[in-house]
Amino acid sequence: MNTERDGLAGARTGRLDLVPLAALHADEMAGVLADPALHAFTGGAPLTAPELRARYERLVAGSPDPAVVWRNWVVRLRAEDRLAGTVQATVTDGGRTAEVAWVTGTRWQGRGIAREAAAALVALLLAEGVRTVVAHVHPDHGASAAVARAAGLRPTDEQQDGELRWELRADRDDLPPELRDGAVVRF
């Protein structure tokens, strides 16, 4: 499995590039993530560019726990040559389990960008041997639930910190073809 330290791969979908996160993305991403409404379900507030740069530097340095791998990408909308959000995975269990998350800036929401990026993220993880993909979604966040469903995850009965656990198991017979057949191109 690739890690930030040994060369995290990027990926390309029909409209998007998933570009490995770097501290240099902080200035543009601070604008993308500036809307306080993005924190309605997760809490917190938008970070300034310097705060985001420091966070990105920590993420790129990698997890201090050798059993945990942090994988982070910015999402670039090619037609606009602009960053529009992020996707991330925390990989554990010897590379077999990944907890994923996504965020799309308010300006780019409603265009299917999060769905496309999350599906690409899940396809990358499955291609690299992850067997279980997990996301935690607030029960009132319909848009994020739709993204999870489009990425092949299903809701479970489990809750953690007020969020519903969504899960995809790679051994399912009904995985969407784009998750089975490598619908993303790595670069």
Side-chain angles (χ1 to χ4, degrees):
M1 165 142 332
N2 290 329
T3 68
E4 289 80 0
R5 287 173 248 200
D6 68 5
L8 181 63
R12 179 169 287 214
T13 69
R15 299 180 299 159
L16 309 173
D17 290 330
L18 274 58
V19 179
L21 180 73
L24 62 88
H25 295 124
D27 289 337
E28 186 174 354
M29 285 304 300
V32 171
L33 303 175
D35 187 350
L38 290 174
H39 299 272
F41 294 102
T42 60
L47 298 177
T48 65
E51 291 169 330
L52 203 54
R53 186 174 303 102
R55 176 176 168 75
Y56 287 178
E57 287 170 353
R58 287 189 305 276
L59 290 172
V60 170
S63 170
D65 181 345
V68 175
V69 176
W70 294 338
R71 307 201 51 213
N72 298 274
W73 295 264
V74 291
V75 177
R76 178 172 296 284
L77 184 59
R78 279 194 308 279
E80 296 179 17
D81 192 27
R82 298 248 349 183
L83 298 181
T86 64
V87 292
Q88 64 187 48
T90 299
V91 183
T92 59
D93 192 25
R96 292 183 297 274
T97 302
E99 293 212 17
V100 299
W102 48 83
V103 63
T104 300
T106 305
R107 177 177 167 193
W108 295 273
Q109 291 178 1
R111 296 166 55 182
I113 292 168
R115 288 178 187 216
E116 189 172 331
L121 171 62
V122 169
L124 278 172
L125 294 168
L126 293 177
E128 292 180 357
V130 169
R131 308 314 302 153
T132 303
V133 179
V134 174
H136 292 91
V137 177
H138 191 283
D140 296 331
H141 198 326
S144 197
V147 170
R149 186 169 276 106
L153 283 74
R154 295 178 176 166
T156 69
D157 293 330
E158 296 178 45
Q159 286 203 13
Q160 181 179 347
D161 298 326
E163 294 183 319
L164 188 61
R165 177 183 171 106
W166 287 68
E167 191 173 275
L168 176 148
R169 295 209 175 259
D171 57 1
R172 277 188 11 214
D173 291 333
D174 66 338
L175 282 178
E178 59 272 15
L179 296 181
R180 287 192 312 259
D181 302 331
V184 296
V185 175
R186 293 184 219 191
F187 61 84

